[in-house]
Amino acid sequence: DVQLQASGGGLVQAGGSLRLSCVASGSPFEDYHIGWFRQAPGKEREAISCMSRTDGSTYYTDSVKGRFTISRDNDKNTAYLEMNSLKPEDTAVYYCAARRLWTTASMFTPAAYAYWGQGTQVTVSS
């Protein structure tokens, strides 16, 4: 099974940018579809973006569309989340996740992802 390690979080001012990384190990990274989620204090974990391993299709929730970009480099066993125009409401712990099987219906469902990284804190100040 794959193990995931997320990094790249930090403190940034509103309007700034961050790039999160998610390094995979233990299993061929190209076998997995990937997703990024976040969880703010007192709130449920929510999906941000996901990417199919099959054709590289990318999907975004409305809250981040046009500001965030998901990508992957299978040669480096790494997924990325480029975050631009950050807002205070983007403050949360960010998680990368992976799954072997893909359904469009469940692409934003946390329970559909079997493998999770440990999370990285992103704080956006106003």
Side-chain angles (χ1 to χ4, degrees), residues 8-12 16-20 81-84 86 122-123:
L11 174 63
V12 63
S17 299
L18 283 173
R19 187 177 79 158
L20 306 184
L81 184 69
E82 185 76 34
M83 306 186 295
N84 298 314
L86 283 161
V122 172
T123 303

Side-chain angles (χ1 to χ4, degrees), residues 14 38 40 43 46 63 67-68 86-92 94 122 124-126:
R38 66 187 180 188
K43 295 188 176 181
E46 64 168 342
S63 60
R67 300 188 297 124
F68 291 10
L86 283 161
K87 305 174 182 179
E89 52 263 43
D90 294 318
T91 295
Y94 283 69
V122 172
V124 184
S125 63
S126 57

Side-chain angles (χ1 to χ4, degrees), residues 32-89:
Y32 296 86
H33 310 282
I34 56 173
W36 284 95
F37 296 77
R38 66 187 180 188
Q39 188 166 19
K43 295 188 176 181
E44 293 186 354
R45 190 167 298 188
E46 64 168 342
I48 300 171
S49 179
C50 56
M51 185 173 190
S52 167
R53 72 170 181 87
T54 306
D55 59 5
S57 296
T58 58
Y59 304 86
Y60 301 90
T61 55
D62 288 344
S63 60
V64 304
K65 196 173 296 182
R67 300 188 297 124
F68 291 10
T69 303
I70 189 172
S71 63
R72 66 190 297 164
D73 185 337
N74 288 337
D75 291 336
K76 295 182 178 180
N77 294 325
T78 303
Y80 302 98
L81 184 69
E82 185 76 34
M83 306 186 295
N84 298 314
S85 302
L86 283 161
K87 305 174 182 179
E89 52 263 43

